[in-house]
């Protein structure tokens, strides 16, 4: 089963980095967004395809997963998620295939 997620873009007028610390902020949603479509995999990997960069990155769900020389820099984010997930859920055998698209400017 495919799951779809939409995260709207936002403009932060006041309060950058204070909202998650309990402070006040003034934000508004915009009509731009990031969209993710996710499907379960029968292998223990996180695979992300970035439509804008037309690249795919795959990271094993292992607490000792390593950096890969020459890999895209954004692979580091997936690596951190894979390591943490594997550490917190050591018996997980299901991975995920995610396709990202965005109408937000780079």
């Amino acid at each position: 089963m495919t799951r779809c997620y939409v995260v709207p873009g936002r403009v932060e007028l006041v309060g950058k980095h204070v909202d998650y610390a309990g402070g006040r902020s003034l934000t508004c949603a915009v009509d731009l967004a990031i969209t993710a479509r996710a499907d379960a995999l029968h292998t223990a990997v996180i695979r992300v395809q970035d439509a804008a960069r037309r690249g795919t990155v795959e990271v094993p769900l292992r607490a000792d997963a390593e950096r890969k020389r020459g890999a895209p820099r954004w692979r580091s984010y997936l690596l951190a998620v894979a390591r943490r997930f594997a550490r917190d859920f050591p018996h997980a055998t299901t991975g995920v295939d995610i396709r990202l698209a965005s109408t937000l400017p780079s």
Side-chain angles (χ1 to χ4, degrees):
M1 167 175 30
T2 300
R3 295 187 182 259
C4 298
Y5 304 92
V6 178
V7 180
R10 70 181 193 172
V11 175
E12 224 168 309
L13 303 173
V14 178
K16 188 163 182 81
H17 300 298
V18 299
D19 54 344
Y20 49 79
R24 295 175 186 239
S25 65
L26 178 59
T27 60
C28 62
V30 295
D31 60 350
L32 304 173
I34 297 172
T35 304
R37 299 177 65 85
D39 289 293
L41 291 175
H42 297 293
T43 56
V45 298
I46 298 176
R47 181 184 309 136
V48 177
Q49 179 183 24
D50 182 349
R53 293 184 176 99
R54 296 197 170 127
T56 301
V57 171
E58 187 171 295
V59 176
L61 283 174
R62 294 182 19 191
D64 63 348
E66 296 183 3
R67 295 188 185 277
K68 199 183 254 187
R69 204 177 286 268
R73 289 181 63 195
W74 59 278
R75 184 180 185 273
S76 298
Y77 294 106
L78 297 180
L79 188 61
V81 170
R83 288 174 177 169
R84 172 63 64 88
F85 192 88
R87 190 173 61 233
D88 292 349
F89 304 98
H91 301 294
T93 58
T94 303
V96 64
D97 181 33
I98 302 170
R99 290 160 313 283
L100 292 177
S102 176
T103 55
L104 292 167
S106 300

